[in-house]
Amino acid sequence: MGAVPAPLSPSGAHDVREEETAMWLRVLGAGAGGGFPQWNCGCPGCRAVRDGSRPATPRTQSSIAVSADRRTWFLVNASPDLRAQIDADQDLHPRTGRDSPIAAVLLTDAELDHTMGLLLLREGPGIALHATDASFETLRDGTGFLPTLERYTQVERHRVVPGATVALHEHLSYRAFDVPTVKKARFGGVEDEGRVVGYRFTDTASGRTAVYLPGVQEITPAVHEELAGADVVLVDGTTWTDDEMITMGLASKTARDMGHLAVGGPGGSLAVLADLPAERRIYVHINNTNPMLLEDTPEHAEVIARGVEIAPDGLEVEV
């Protein structure tokens, strides 16, 4: 397959001047797997969302949309909440008939909370899907989503190679980069390279960049270089402490065991993000157990005080 997909629709909701160049990122879902509240969770945050006893904002599962013109949009990950996310975003609505402004889906990995939404796109005439070899392998031989989807619609496969720059649309390109993570036994046999990637998006007219990194186990020097060189960063904020879910009696694994770096503490991601030169530093992929989702907590106040944002669903960032 070629590197540049043909958009499924040229139409859009905004009257954008031809000479205007910018890049927009829309946070469709800022929650981690299960969303906030999670259907089977009675943790303090989930209870607060349900009963309104403390300030907390619901969030759907992690995904963003990217555009260079606000007419053609590219999804990064397709969450189980995708249908509701499209309904909530006017720019993603079909313009006429079944003419969608969604041109392609890019995957950071093959996790269920990032790929179940692919099956919701089966009614379309086709899907341009960008993924690494490792993700395609899991979608084919692990979850079986890919052969299932291909029984309903055409899937145009685009191989994502970490380090390679891809022209995605006029004035918009991406480059994926490898991210440290853990190997999960449930889908054994998947090669190490490309199991989890982050994306650097570039407005090629202005040279401005944004990094989307919803899952990271460790901020290595290579990952730090990617973050430090971006104008805007959206980064994994899954848990506040590494043993958060164990302490709450909700899981037997640490955040690191699940492939995520905790936010708080001396070795946490907040210390790194607070020192980045980026104009905006934003947490996404936030688990329902993370106390920073409760807006009256010291953890929430600490993040804001250090100049880092906690993304809600619907947040739009112009780069």
Side-chain angles (χ1 to χ4, degrees):
M1 291 292 180
V4 184
L8 299 182
S9 167
S11 56
H14 293 271
D15 181 16
V16 181
R17 298 188 308 274
E18 289 299 321
E19 67 272 19
E20 182 180 3
T21 60
M23 176 170 57
W24 290 269
L25 283 74
R26 188 83 47 78
V27 178
L28 303 182
F36 183 58
Q38 182 171 306
W39 69 276
N40 66 338
C41 186
C43 73
C46 290
R47 290 200 306 270
V49 172
R50 292 189 181 103
D51 63 23
S53 58
R54 298 173 67 182
T57 303
R59 288 166 170 82
T60 58
Q61 295 170 86
S62 178
S63 178
I64 67 168
V66 183
S67 178
D69 58 11
R70 298 181 78 163
R71 292 189 295 264
T72 299
W73 290 86
F74 301 88
L75 303 183
V76 187
N77 295 332
S79 90
D81 299 317
L82 182 58
R83 182 183 179 279
Q85 291 167 345
I86 291 172
D87 284 347
D89 192 318
Q90 183 179 355
D91 282 346
L92 300 183
H93 292 178
R95 308 311 175 196
T96 58
R98 294 189 174 178
D99 180 20
S100 171
I102 298 172
V105 179
L106 287 64
L107 297 179
T108 61
D109 52 60
E111 290 291 328
L112 292 181
D113 54 318
H114 290 160
T115 57
M116 286 181 69
L118 291 172
L119 300 179
L120 303 177
L121 300 176
R122 67 189 183 279
E123 292 94 351
I127 300 172
L129 183 60
H130 295 241
T132 63
D133 287 343
S135 288
F136 274 128
E137 180 183 337
T138 298
L139 288 173
R140 184 185 66 243
D141 302 327
T143 63
F145 285 179
L146 189 57
T148 299
L149 185 61
E150 288 177 326
R151 290 187 177 95
Y152 289 89
T153 190
Q154 179 181 355
V155 178
E156 183 181 336
R157 302 187 194 186
H158 297 264
R159 181 171 177 256
V160 171
V161 178
T165 298
V166 177
L168 193 60
H169 195 246
E170 186 177 8
H171 306 308
L172 179 63
S173 69
Y174 75 75
R175 177 173 55 78
F177 56 94
D178 255 315
V179 178
T181 190
V182 293
K183 190 160 188 173
K184 299 186 178 180
R186 67 171 66 98
F187 301 127
V190 175
E191 61 185 85
D192 287 338
E193 185 180 67
R195 282 187 297 116
V196 178
V197 296
Y199 284 98
R200 172 183 291 272
F201 294 97
T202 300
D203 173 1
T204 56
S206 68
R208 290 175 61 77
T209 59
V211 165
Y212 184 57
L213 184 60
V216 63
Q217 184 190 46
E218 178 186 358
I219 298 180
T220 62
V223 172
H224 189 275
E225 184 177 353
E226 297 288 352
L227 297 174
D231 296 293
V232 171
V233 297
L234 296 91
V235 177
D236 182 0
T238 303
T239 66
W240 185 263
T241 60
D242 190 47
D243 63 351
E244 180 172 293
M245 297 185 70
I246 296 175
T247 301
M248 298 177 76
L250 300 176
S252 60
K253 294 182 178 180
T254 66
R256 187 175 181 82
D257 289 340
M258 295 183 285
H260 300 284
L261 176 65
V263 171
S269 62
L270 182 57
V272 177
L273 263 63
D275 287 339
L276 290 176
E279 295 166 11
R280 296 184 70 175
R281 296 151 294 170
I282 304 167
Y283 274 122
V284 293
H285 197 277
I286 309 161
N287 199 56
N288 60 87
T289 57
N290 193 324
M292 73 182 185
L293 287 176
L294 287 165
E295 296 158 22
D296 59 358
T297 60
E299 292 86 355
H300 181 94
E302 181 179 351
V303 174
I304 302 307
R306 301 194 72 173
V308 181
E309 301 173 56
I310 303 169
D313 287 10
L315 177 69
E316 180 175 279
V317 181
E318 182 176 349
V319 183

